[in-house]
Amino acid sequence: MKRIRPALRTLGAFLRTPTLSRSIIALLALAILLLLAVNAATFVMIQRTTTYNDTVDHSQQVRLAAKDMLSLLVDAETGQRGFMLTARPEYLSVHARAVAELPDVLARLDDLTDGDAELTPRLARVRGLYQQRMTLMDNTIALTRMGRIGEAVSLIRSGQGKGLMDQMRVELTAIDAIEAQRLVERTRQSERASAVTVSVNALAAVLILILAGISVWLVRRYVEEIEAAHLELDRVNAGLENQVLDRTAELTRANEEIQRFAYIVSHDLRSPLVNVMGYTSELEQVGKIFDHQLTTLAQTHPDAIEPEAIRAVREDVPEAVGFIRASTAKMDRLINAILKLSREGRRALVPEVLPMTDLVQSIADSLHHQVSEAGGEIVVRDLPALESDRLSIEQIFGNLLDNAVKYREPGRPIQIVVEGETTDDGRLHYRIIDNGRGVSERDHERIFELFRRAGKQDLPGEGLGLAFVRNSVRRLGGGITLESQLGQGSTFHLKFPTRLIVPGEAGDNL
């Protein structure tokens, strides 16, 4: 009930709203009801017509049986008289054949008129007269065979046989007339039923044509309204497209400015950093000179040097210089990574058809030594070809495979599988599956951010590899997601369009 009530309210709101769809649905419902009514009326008329046709056929059968009986009686009488006049047996065979068929015809009449209050009494009288006439004919034939021709002729001249035949002819003719009248009436009824059926179908056809005309008019008006709405929408879209183009141009300029800014900042930071690294080397050399001089002085004037000075020169200064060197080296790596991202963002993409199976296999071969040392393997299955930028694809798969090897689970042989297929929406889906350390669910998105790392920090790195990979994937029009659990390995999902559209081509196509 809880589900039915909202549906009923929705239906009620739809019926109360004067919309074109509701009008068309109402017209269709009316047309369907009209067709159902026409079908029902046609079915009834057909049933009646069938009944009329059956009664017509019945009347024809009764009339035919009555005529057959009268004809057989005449044949029997003709054969009887011919035998009496000529005593030739061939006349008697005509009589015998007619007498043999008469019971079947009479039985057929009984079946056809069974239950008919008007015909049954007449047929009963015909049966009685038939029995008398058969007895009379049998007597005349028997007297003729015994040579008593005079007696047989006397029976015929008495007129009894003719009277019986005349009475049977009257009854059979009456039966035929009754059925003829019925036949006329039933034929008229059948014609009227056919006329009503035709009229109903014609009326229904006219009404359906009217409904169809109204529907066409409504649809035409609706189409005109849609065309007007489309024109208005095109006008609005044209304005939106201009806004989008302007906004895209602004974003492109802003992105280029950010890349230039990153490049300039990184380049400007590089100069003082090089100076710091150079002077750090100088400090190391100065420290070594001081240490040598202190050693010499300590040998000649041991009391002239303070122990704190010796500790400062031999312990504090090297420690400080080492810290400076480590910090500058880390800063140098970060600047190099920023420069790499900036250069990659400014590099022009060159699409080409890439045999992905061979390309990824060559990357896997370059890692073969590291993988074989850990007792593992990289399996590259058949991969669908991709039209994209070769350098970007090589960097993406190279970083991911290198990470899979780098962050393996200690004590477990490396198992890496690369597979892919074309999805239902026409994109290419590649998977890099490993059995390494895995990534906690809370870090699935974090590891793609700049300078972010997850898990144990027991391996060198600045957290730039996956950020670079995601940036490259997005630049190629694709997407990357991670499916992983701690201690159970990771699966990186890469999805790309089958063909890379660079901005210049997209503009040309527009």
Side-chain angles (χ1 to χ4, degrees), residues 197-229:
T197 302
V198 172
S199 300
V200 170
N201 280 277
L203 178 61
V206 171
L207 292 176
I208 289 174
L209 288 175
I210 292 173
L211 293 176
I214 295 173
S215 300
V216 170
W217 177 77
L218 290 174
V219 170
R220 182 177 180 181
R221 190 183 71 177
Y222 180 61
V223 170
E224 291 175 352
E225 293 176 356
I226 288 178
E227 289 178 351

Side-chain angles (χ1 to χ4, degrees), residues 205-504:
V206 171
L207 292 176
I208 289 174
L209 288 175
I210 292 173
L211 293 176
I214 295 173
S215 300
V216 170
W217 177 77
L218 290 174
V219 170
R220 182 177 180 181
R221 190 183 71 177
Y222 180 61
V223 170
E224 291 175 352
E225 293 176 356
I226 288 178
E227 289 178 351
H230 280 171
L231 292 176
E232 180 65 18
L233 184 61
D234 291 340
R235 186 185 65 79
V236 174
N237 284 339
L240 290 176
E241 287 177 359
N242 292 331
Q243 293 179 10
V244 169
L245 291 174
D246 294 340
R247 188 68 173 174
T248 302
E250 292 176 1
L251 291 174
T252 302
R253 287 193 298 270
N255 186 48
E256 291 175 352
E257 289 175 0
I258 290 172
Q259 290 177 357
R260 284 195 298 271
F261 175 76
Y263 180 79
I264 292 170
V265 169
S266 301
H267 188 271
D268 290 345
L269 287 176
R270 195 73 178 275
S271 296
L273 182 63
V274 170
N275 292 333
V276 171
M277 294 173 69
Y279 283 114
T280 301
S281 299
E282 292 291 333
L283 287 175
E284 284 182 333
Q285 295 299 323
V286 170
K288 290 178 181 179
I289 293 172
F290 277 132
D291 182 55
H292 178 71
Q293 292 297 325
L294 287 174
T295 302
T296 304
L297 188 60
Q299 291 176 353
T300 57
H301 300 85
D303 296 333
I305 301 174
E306 293 291 335
E308 291 182 359
I310 296 174
R311 184 174 61 252
V313 172
R314 292 182 176 177
E315 296 180 9
D316 294 343
V317 172
E319 182 180 357
V321 170
F323 178 76
I324 293 172
R325 182 176 291 281
S327 297
T328 54
K330 182 176 181 180
M331 190 173 180
D332 184 58
R333 290 194 298 270
L334 293 176
I335 291 173
N336 287 334
I338 293 173
L339 286 173
K340 182 180 179 182
L341 285 174
S342 176
R343 291 192 188 102
E344 182 64 23
R346 289 183 288 111
R347 185 178 64 84
L349 300 177
V350 181
E352 61 177 292
V353 178
L354 304 175
M356 291 299 294
T357 304
D358 296 337
L359 185 147
V360 177
Q361 185 63 58
S362 65
I363 298 173
D365 292 340
S366 68
L367 299 170
H368 176 72
H369 181 69
Q370 302 176 50
V371 175
S372 61
E373 284 184 350
E377 63 175 345
I378 300 178
V379 178
V380 180
R381 294 177 179 163
D382 289 337
L383 304 176
L386 169 66
E387 184 177 349
S388 191
D389 182 72
R390 176 182 289 274
L391 180 59
S392 297
I393 292 296
E394 288 177 344
Q395 290 174 340
I396 290 168
F397 280 86
N399 272 281
L400 292 176
L401 289 175
D402 186 64
N403 275 357
V405 174
K406 182 178 179 181
Y407 295 102
R408 61 182 178 271
E409 181 69 16
R412 184 162 61 196
I414 301 174
Q415 292 292 329
I416 303 173
V417 177
V418 184
E419 59 186 18
E421 72 277 337
T422 304
T423 60
D424 294 336
D425 59 357
R427 293 173 71 84
L428 299 178
H429 182 195
Y430 302 100
R431 289 179 295 275
I432 299 177
I433 308 166
D434 66 63
N435 64 341
R437 298 181 180 182
V439 180
S440 174
E441 185 175 355
R442 67 175 181 272
D443 293 326
H444 283 187
E445 186 63 26
R446 179 183 176 185
I447 62 173
F448 292 105
E449 298 176 3
L450 278 170
F451 311 119
R452 292 296 184 91
R453 302 177 68 191
K456 294 187 298 182
Q457 306 301 312
D458 57 344
L459 294 172
E462 285 73 39
L464 290 171
L466 290 179
F468 175 78
V469 166
R470 183 167 68 172
N471 181 66
S472 299
V473 170
R474 287 179 174 175
R475 193 164 180 237
L476 297 178
I480 181 170
T481 57
L482 171 64
E483 180 183 343
S484 180
Q485 292 184 5
L486 278 175
Q488 298 184 15
S490 303
T491 300
F492 284 90
H493 297 269
L494 297 165
K495 292 186 177 180
F496 296 100
T498 55
R499 180 174 181 267
L500 173 63
I501 305 296
V502 299

Side-chain angles (χ1 to χ4, degrees), residues 16-31:
R16 290 192 299 271
T17 304
T19 60
L20 177 64
S21 58
R22 193 185 71 172
S23 301
I24 293 176
I25 290 174
L27 290 173
L28 290 176
L30 182 60

